[in-house]
């Protein structure tokens, strides 16, 4: 086991691409490269050797850079088996409960369908890092485009296994909008209010709010709290099954 150094590259209007560098070498991997230029420029600037692309799902703002990066570096493309035909130039196909070794670092892989049919997440336990693509966001969760609401609930629920001190590396800076929605549901949640205040300050300073800590998300993210009776109560769904509470919150967010 070993840990990775994680470097965030903001791209497009609100995407985050991540470089994962092996601490003991100049080898690096990239997660969800929306575009090739910012990735290749960063690699060149640091003198790193790009060995892998890890893709979470097929949307262009996550895989758009793959063809050019692969052409420039001949790296290995890793992605969801369930969507193998929609991930450009895929070499390694991963499915639920697979283990993927990036150098000495072990990633646990989960199928997390809902946003898209084939979506995977990578959890590097030793590095305390969860790469969840567009499934979970700081204070939010992804839109359900290709799956069902119960499927998305199951997917999000898989993340409950990771410890509180895990950093959630989601793929977009959506936190401010998510905070407004979360506060509209649960305005008296003190943890949420404190978190929202911190987010506002960060955005005003032009600073990223990602990654966020799972322990904080658990107490504040309405989608992760669908099984919390207090969350159900504040939206008038006391005693309802968590999956229904989740579906209601996701539907309200779609119309917010
Ligand atoms: Zn997406
Ligand atoms: Fe996206």
């Amino acid at each position: 086991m070993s840990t990775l150094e994680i470097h965030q590259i903001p791209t497009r209007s609100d995407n985050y691409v991540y470089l994962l560098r092996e601490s003991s070498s100049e080898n690096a991997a990239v997660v969800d490269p929306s575009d090739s230029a910012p990735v290749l420029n960063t690699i060149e600037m640091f003198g790193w050797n790009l060995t892998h692309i890890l893709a979470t799902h097929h949307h262009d703002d996550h895989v758009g850079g793959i063809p050019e990066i692969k052409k420039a570096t001949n790296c290995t493309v890793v992605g969801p088996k369930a969507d193998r035909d929609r991930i450009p130039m895929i070499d390694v196909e991963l499915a639920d409960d697979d283990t993927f070794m990036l150098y000495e670092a072990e990633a646990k892989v989960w199928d997390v369908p809902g946003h898209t049919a084939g979506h995977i997440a990578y959890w590097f336990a030793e590095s305390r890092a969860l790469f969840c693509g567009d499934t979970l966001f700081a204070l939010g969760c992804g839109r359900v485009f290709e799956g069902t609401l119960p499927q998305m609930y199951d997917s999000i629920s898989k993340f409950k296994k990771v410890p509180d001190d895990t950093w959630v590396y989601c793929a977009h800076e959506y936190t401010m909008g998510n905070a407004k929605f979360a506060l509209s549901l649960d305005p008296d949640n003190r943890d949420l209010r404190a978190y929202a205040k911190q987010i506002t300050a960060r955005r005003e300073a032009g600073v990223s709010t990602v990654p966020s800590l799972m322990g904080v998300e658990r107490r504040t993210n309405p989608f992760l709290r669908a099984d919390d009776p207090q969350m159900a109560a504040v939206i008038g769904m006391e005693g309802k099954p968590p999956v229904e509470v989740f579906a209601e919150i996701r539907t309200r967010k779609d119309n917010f």
Side-chain angles (χ1 to χ4, degrees):
M1 295 287 257
S2 77
T3 55
L4 301 161
E5 286 173 19
I6 299 164
H7 183 96
Q8 182 180 61
I9 310 176
T11 67
R12 304 199 181 183
S13 55
D14 51 34
N15 273 84
Y16 288 128
V17 173
Y18 299 102
L19 287 174
L20 282 47
R21 196 196 103 173
E22 183 179 34
S23 310
S24 57
S25 82
E26 301 305 308
N27 288 333
V30 63
V31 179
D32 282 357
S34 60
D35 302 274
S36 58
V39 174
L40 294 173
N41 291 343
T42 307
I43 289 287
E44 198 191 306
M45 180 173 78
F46 289 125
W48 294 347
N49 169 38
L50 193 84
T51 60
H52 295 78
I53 295 172
L54 309 185
T56 63
H57 69 293
H58 77 86
H59 284 156
D60 180 66
D61 62 316
H62 300 256
V63 302
I66 292 181
E68 288 295 320
I69 294 171
K70 173 107 171 154
K71 204 161 79 184
T73 63
N74 199 29
C75 63
T76 302
V77 178
V78 181
K81 187 187 185 101
D83 248 334
R84 53 191 282 183
D85 297 331
R86 296 196 288 182
I87 306 293
M89 307 165 114
I90 189 166
D91 299 301
V92 178
E93 298 166 6
L94 297 175
D96 203 35
D97 271 330
D98 278 350
T99 294
F100 177 73
M101 293 304 296
L102 179 68
Y103 323 122
E104 301 283 299
E106 184 183 294
K108 180 92 189 154
V109 174
W110 288 312
D111 274 329
V112 286
H115 178 69
T116 56
H119 192 309
I120 56 173
Y122 303 83
W123 174 37
F124 290 91
E126 194 85 347
S127 300
R128 299 191 291 133
L130 174 68
F131 295 93
C132 50
D134 286 354
T135 301
L136 183 69
F137 293 116
L139 281 179
C141 95
R143 276 183 188 270
V144 179
F145 288 125
E146 296 178 5
T148 63
L149 289 163
Q151 210 174 27
M152 190 62 149
Y153 177 68
D154 283 345
S155 294
I156 294 274
S157 299
K158 291 182 182 178
F159 300 143
K160 290 178 183 164
K161 290 173 215 159
V162 312
D164 276 354
D165 65 355
T166 305
W167 294 100
V168 180
Y169 290 88
C170 64
H172 290 276
E173 180 63 60
Y174 289 162
T175 320
M176 196 70 233
N178 289 341
K180 287 186 182 138
F181 173 68
L183 279 169
S184 79
L185 300 179
D186 194 11
D188 299 325
N189 180 334
R190 289 181 61 186
D191 290 322
L192 174 58
R193 289 164 68 130
Y195 186 18
K197 216 172 140 185
Q198 192 191 94
I199 287 159
T200 307
R202 283 184 157 251
R203 292 316 291 153
E204 279 170 3
V207 176
S208 171
T209 65
V210 178
S212 61
L213 269 178
M214 184 53 93
V216 175
E217 293 297 325
R218 259 193 249 280
R219 295 195 304 273
T220 55
N221 185 320
F223 300 96
L224 284 174
R225 295 181 59 225
D227 58 356
D228 175 344
Q230 245 175 308
M231 186 72 234
V234 295
I235 64 162
M237 292 188 72
E238 230 152 3
K240 290 278 195 284
V243 62
E244 284 178 29
V245 175
F246 173 85
E248 172 67 20
I249 298 171
R250 184 58 262 181
T251 305
R252 287 196 198 184
K253 177 67 166 62
D254 290 341
N255 300 309
F256 185 66

